[in-house]
Amino acid sequence: DEELDELPISAVMYGEVQTFPDAAALDEALNAAPAGNFRITDDALGVGGPKAKFAMNVAAIRTLKQIETKHRQATLPEQEILSRYVGWGGVADAFDASKDAWQKEYAELQTLLTDEEYRSARESVLNAHYTSPTVIKAMYATLERMGFSTGNVLEPACGIGNFFGLVPESMAASRFYGVELDSITGRIAQLLYPENQIAIQGFETSDYPDHFFDVAIGNVPFGDYGVSDQRYDKHHFLIHDYFFAKALDDLPPIYGSGAMLGNESF
């Protein structure tokens, strides 16, 4: 193995075959090269207790800010760190100054995040619960059985994009669009999936044409509160019902020609 590592080696980078003097030079180039869309291979992604999730979130945010400072795309090793960001659902104690066991974490967030990022992160503790790879794979399997292969796919509350990272090969030629309200989360998604179109905004402010998408898939936020959108205000929808209604309006009007899958709805 050591002798092989010292031999010239070729690999495809930027769409072309390039030859490197040895394995170490290839590893260095791969670690420095901007990565394309991330592929999730770990079914235990994001698993851990509150303190472990906090540590993963902080590592991802630090990596995000380092990349943004250099105005570049993420490398594959950086994407691995970014992919472990799980949001703040279930980590609400990190925002509570009265929790003695979380004083260190509380102070760390004060210096790590801007005022706006902190406000947004604190508000997200109610519904920032990301979907496990096991559930996402089951949803895609259902979509395959429905006959979908290629088209425009919407993820209306995409988080960091786990649904994008688990797209099966049978759907890889589709065009993927994501919407994410939280700035930190959306910026991580853009670095993980640079080939997709990800808008950092509320779903209520998105203005995709009616019937533009063939499929809407994802884990929408659930809660006993509404969203202000003039087109839908008369229905007094709770937030999850609003997401379903607006996403359905983005799909084809003929029954059977479009599909919407949510992990709480099928």
Side-chain angles (χ1 to χ4, degrees), residues 180-226:
E180 171 55 41
L181 174 62
D182 179 69
S183 174
I184 289 283
T185 308
R187 284 146 56 195
I188 290 175
Q190 289 175 335
L191 289 174
L192 286 171
Y193 305 100
E195 298 168 19
N196 297 354
Q197 295 191 37
I198 297 171
I200 302 175
Q201 61 186 111
F203 190 39
E204 67 275 13
T205 65
S206 65
D207 57 355
Y208 299 112
D210 283 358
H211 321 316
F212 177 75
F213 296 101
D214 301 288
V215 165
I217 188 168
N219 180 5
V220 304
F222 276 67
D224 294 326
Y225 57 94

Side-chain angles (χ1 to χ4, degrees), residues 135-143 153-158 163-164 167-168 171 176-177 214-220 247 251 259-263:
V135 172
I136 295 172
K137 288 179 180 179
M139 293 171 67
Y140 275 125
T142 300
L143 196 54
V153 179
L154 169 67
E155 223 281 57
C158 69
F163 278 86
F164 300 141
V167 172
M171 302 177 193
F176 295 91
Y177 300 77
D214 301 288
V215 165
I217 188 168
N219 180 5
V220 304
L251 299 177
M260 177 176 178
L261 286 182
N263 78 324

Side-chain angles (χ1 to χ4, degrees), residues 234-249:
K234 63 183 179 181
H235 300 294
H236 305 291
F237 286 137
L238 295 178
I239 188 169
H240 42 278
D241 295 323
Y242 167 77
F243 267 76
F244 291 143
K246 183 173 173 61
L248 285 169
D249 281 340

Side-chain angles (χ1 to χ4, degrees), residues 39 144 167-173:
R39 291 295 302 169
E144 284 184 309
V167 172
E169 287 299 320
S170 63
M171 302 177 193

Side-chain angles (χ1 to χ4, degrees), residues 73-128:
Q73 291 297 313
T75 65
L76 182 57
E78 289 170 334
Q79 284 186 329
E80 292 283 355
I81 298 171
L82 295 171
S83 72
R84 299 188 184 101
Y85 183 83
V86 293
W88 301 107
V91 198
D93 286 349
F95 298 89
D96 189 343
S98 68
K99 300 290 184 179
D100 292 339
W102 287 84
Q103 289 300 306
K104 178 183 176 182
E105 290 80 5
Y106 177 84
E108 188 171 9
L109 287 182
Q110 306 300 310
T111 59
L112 180 62
L113 302 176
T114 67
D115 290 344
E116 178 60 26
E117 289 169 347
Y118 185 87
R119 180 196 61 77
S120 181
R122 185 175 56 191
E123 290 177 354
S124 74
V125 299
L126 295 175
N127 50 38

Side-chain angles (χ1 to χ4, degrees), residues 38-98:
F38 185 70
R39 291 295 302 169
I40 295 174
T41 58
D42 182 8
D43 282 347
L45 188 68
V47 173
K51 293 275 187 171
K53 290 181 177 180
F54 180 91
M56 289 187 287
N57 284 350
V58 167
I61 293 172
R62 293 193 187 283
T63 300
L64 166 69
K65 296 202 169 190
Q66 289 171 0
I67 295 169
E68 291 180 335
T69 298
K70 298 177 181 179
H71 305 287
R72 60 174 176 80
Q73 291 297 313
T75 65
L76 182 57
E78 289 170 334
Q79 284 186 329
E80 292 283 355
I81 298 171
L82 295 171
S83 72
R84 299 188 184 101
Y85 183 83
V86 293
W88 301 107
V91 198
D93 286 349
F95 298 89
D96 189 343
S98 68

